[in-house]
């Protein structure tokens, strides 16, 4: 368990090289770790604690727990429990003992079966993997390019000889590989798109997991909290019932099949309802932020003027004419690479490299214009 916790903690460590956006980090870092924490909490309660307790009477005079008690608890946990849908609309303590708990005689079609609770921790673990998948893919495609170009130039205190040599190496790479970074940049944008697809897919996955009740879960909870509770069904109790029914069949002393109805308490559902209401709102917020991020990406691809404005706004110590020269004569992929390099290295070093690259591009551009005129 401790090894797993340490593994989760490594995701929160500060990265030596920044290769992606803050919103993308919300997917593979914050959401991934939160879901893993939820998984550990539920797994601890499920396999160490007592996730279900069924009240029943199978005969006998002793009130002490018997082996049959444990069998019934295990049976109801593994197979299923159920509630009566119409009983959620009856007054607890008067018409029914508890919301959802009522007699099923002549009312078989009104039964709502619950089988999900023993699978929740596994489903959450799978969701965590899906949230991290776009990051894993980007790590492969990024290939350590920014780490290689960084070359410890983020350290302000460095000898002039080392600094000049590393600046020269970076400049040579940028000069020799201009116009060849579009695919690299578009792969990253594709990973951000996958993150959006994953969030939307997660909503439908959870909706399927909870028999079509999850997509409107958050809306119903808000409506319930704002309305007269006596007139509405609590969606938390409806989807995550705290008390359910279970039917157990066993052979009696004469060999006849005996039916035993029991009421089961599911304390773990108190945790489940809080986890999934948080995930509902979190996925909505995360999805909206990712849509805005992709719209921003599209705008930067289409408009080089926006790219210039963003560069000038973020790197105020860089000469504006140099920015106009480079952005106006390069492609989106080159702009994105330079933008990320500026985030990862010292501001003074970046200004020098950027200026030298602008002079080189400006000279090449003017030389081509002169030759075309001739």
């Amino acid at each position: 368990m401790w090894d797993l916790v340490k593994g989760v903690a490594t995701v929160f460590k500060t990265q030596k090289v920044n290769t992606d956006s803050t919103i993308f980090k919300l997917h593979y870092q914050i959401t991934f770790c939160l879901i893993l924490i939820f998984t550990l909490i539920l797994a601890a309660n499920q396999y160490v604690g007592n996730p279900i307790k069924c009240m029943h009477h199978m005969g006998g005079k002793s009130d002490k727990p018997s082996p049959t008690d444990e069998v019934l608890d295990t049976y109801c946990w593994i197979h299923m429990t159920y509630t009566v849908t119409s009983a959620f609309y009856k007054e607890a303590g008067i018409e029914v003992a508890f919301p959802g708990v009522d007699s099923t005689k002549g009312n078989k079609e009104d039964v709502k079966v619950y089988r999900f609770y023993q699978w929740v921790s596994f489903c959450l673990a799978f969701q965590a993997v899906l949230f991290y998948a776009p990051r894993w893919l980007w790590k492969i495609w990024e290939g350590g390019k920014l780490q290689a170009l960084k070359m410890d130039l983020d350290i302000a205190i460095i000898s002039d000889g080392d600094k000049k040599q590393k600046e020269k190496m970076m400049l040579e790479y940028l000069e020799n590989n201009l116009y060849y970074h579009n695919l690299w940049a578009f792969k990253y944008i594709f990973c951000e798109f996958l993150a959006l697809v994953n969030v939307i897919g997660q909503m439908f996955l959870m909706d399927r997991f909870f028999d079509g009740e999850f997509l409107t879960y958050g809306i119903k909870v808000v409506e319930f909290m704002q309305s007269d509770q006596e007139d509405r069904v609590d969606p938390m109790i409806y989807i995550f019932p705290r008390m359910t029914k279970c039917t157990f069949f066993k052979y009696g002393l004469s060999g006849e099949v005996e039916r035993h109805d029991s009421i089961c308490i599911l304390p773990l559902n108190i945790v489940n309802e809080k986890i999934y209401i948080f995930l509902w709102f979190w996925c909505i917020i995360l999805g909206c932020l990712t849509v805005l991020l992709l719209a921003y990406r599209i705008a930067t691809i289409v408009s080089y003027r926006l790219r210039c404005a963003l560069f000038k706004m973020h790197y105020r110590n860089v000469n504006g004419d140099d920015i106009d020269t480079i952005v106006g004569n390069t492609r989106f992929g080159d702009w994105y690479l330079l933008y990320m390099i500026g985030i990862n290295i010292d501001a003074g070093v970046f200004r020098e490299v950027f200026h030298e690259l602008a002079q080189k591009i400006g000279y090449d551009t003017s030389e081509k214009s002169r030759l075309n005129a001739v």
Side-chain angles (χ1 to χ4, degrees):
M1 178 69 74
W2 176 243
D3 291 338
L4 182 56
V5 173
K6 288 195 297 184
V8 174
T10 57
V11 182
F12 283 103
K13 288 184 178 179
T14 303
Q15 299 174 5
K16 295 181 179 179
V17 181
N18 190 352
T19 62
D20 42 49
S21 66
T22 302
I23 295 177
F24 193 57
K25 285 183 175 66
L26 291 178
H27 288 265
Y28 73 82
Q29 196 173 74
I30 304 301
T31 309
F32 171 77
C33 291
L34 284 175
I35 292 180
L36 279 188
I37 291 171
F38 294 154
T39 304
L40 293 176
I41 292 172
L42 290 176
N45 283 276
Q46 183 172 331
Y47 297 106
V48 178
N50 189 9
I52 189 171
K53 184 62 181 176
C54 296
M55 298 180 292
H56 58 282
H57 178 70
M58 289 189 174
K61 298 180 180 180
S62 175
D63 293 331
K64 296 181 179 180
S66 66
T68 309
D69 299 330
E70 297 182 1
V71 170
L72 180 61
D73 290 347
T74 304
Y75 171 84
C76 294
W77 175 258
I78 292 175
H79 286 79
M80 68 173 188
T81 60
Y82 63 91
T83 56
V84 179
T85 304
S86 60
F88 284 103
Y89 299 89
K90 297 180 180 180
E91 188 174 355
I94 298 179
E95 298 178 274
V96 293
F98 196 82
V101 179
D102 198 2
S103 172
T104 57
K105 292 182 179 180
N107 203 19
K108 300 293 184 181
E109 296 181 356
D110 200 22
V111 170
K112 181 175 176 60
V113 177
Y114 299 89
R115 296 187 179 92
F116 67 83
Y117 37 76
Q118 68 266 42
W119 294 101
V120 170
S121 57
F122 298 101
C123 183
L124 285 172
F126 177 64
Q127 288 179 257
V129 171
L130 292 179
F131 270 104
Y132 193 80
R135 162 65 176 173
W136 173 79
L137 186 61
W138 172 234
K139 285 180 68 175
I140 294 175
W141 282 345
E142 196 271 336
K145 184 187 293 291
L146 288 170
Q147 175 66 48
L149 291 171
K150 181 181 175 183
M151 295 182 290
D152 295 327
L153 289 172
D154 58 325
I155 303 173
I157 303 175
I158 185 173
S159 65
D160 290 338
D162 287 344
K163 185 175 73 170
K164 292 296 182 183
Q165 182 181 5
K166 291 176 179 180
E167 286 180 0
K168 182 180 178 182
M169 293 172 61
M170 181 185 294
L171 190 59
E172 287 178 353
Y173 171 83
L174 294 173
E175 289 177 4
N176 296 330
N177 293 276
L178 278 178
Y179 317 117
Y180 294 104
H181 297 112
N182 268 0
L183 181 60
W184 180 81
F186 286 141
K187 284 181 178 179
Y188 171 64
I189 296 175
F190 178 71
C191 290
E192 290 183 330
F193 174 73
L194 283 182
L196 175 62
V197 172
N198 174 63
V199 170
I200 297 173
Q202 294 269 8
M203 294 290 289
F204 285 96
L205 172 66
M206 289 184 279
D207 188 64
R208 177 80 178 194
F209 188 62
F210 293 114
D211 297 326
E213 300 288 348
F214 185 76
L215 287 179
T216 57
Y217 180 46
I219 298 173
K220 289 180 179 178
V221 170
V222 173
E223 290 178 348
F224 174 77
M225 295 179 67
Q226 293 178 345
S227 63
D228 187 355
Q229 297 184 10
E230 295 182 357
D231 299 331
R232 302 185 69 89
V233 177
D234 187 346
M236 288 188 177
I237 296 178
Y238 185 77
I239 301 177
F240 302 100
R242 299 153 193 180
M243 187 171 289
T244 58
K245 295 186 67 177
C246 178
T247 302
F248 181 74
F249 295 93
K250 63 181 286 288
Y251 285 104
L253 295 176
S254 63
E256 295 292 333
V257 176
E258 297 179 352
R259 173 193 172 109
H260 297 275
D261 275 341
S262 62
I263 295 177
C264 297
I265 301 174
L266 294 167
L268 200 59
N269 271 348
I270 297 177
V271 182
N272 286 332
E273 67 184 23
K274 306 302 187 301
I275 288 175
Y276 279 99
I277 190 62
F278 170 81
L279 288 178
W280 191 90
F281 284 104
W282 180 252
C283 286
I284 293 294
I285 294 171
L286 198 58
C288 292
L289 290 175
T290 310
V291 168
L292 294 175
L293 175 63
L294 289 173
Y296 160 77
R297 296 293 182 209
I298 294 172
T300 55
I301 293 172
V302 173
S303 173
Y304 87 92
R305 295 184 183 277
L306 177 60
R307 296 200 293 270
C308 287
L310 290 170
F311 231 110
K312 292 176 181 178
M313 181 174 61
H314 195 274
Y315 301 105
R316 298 182 182 276
N317 63 332
V318 177
N319 185 277
D321 293 334
D322 292 342
I323 294 175
D324 292 333
T325 299
I326 290 181
V327 177
N329 294 280
T330 57
R331 297 177 179 177
F332 169 78
D334 304 308
W335 170 84
Y336 184 71
L337 178 63
L338 288 168
Y339 192 90
M340 296 306 297
I341 290 174
I343 293 174
N344 286 285
I345 68 174
D346 179 69
V349 174
F350 181 65
R351 182 179 63 250
E352 294 177 10
V353 172
F354 201 88
H355 178 67
E356 292 181 21
L357 182 62
Q359 287 185 324
K360 177 65 177 175
I361 292 177
Y363 174 79
D364 292 343
T365 302
S366 61
E367 189 65 18
K368 287 181 182 178
S369 300
R370 187 183 66 80
L371 291 175
N372 290 334
V374 172

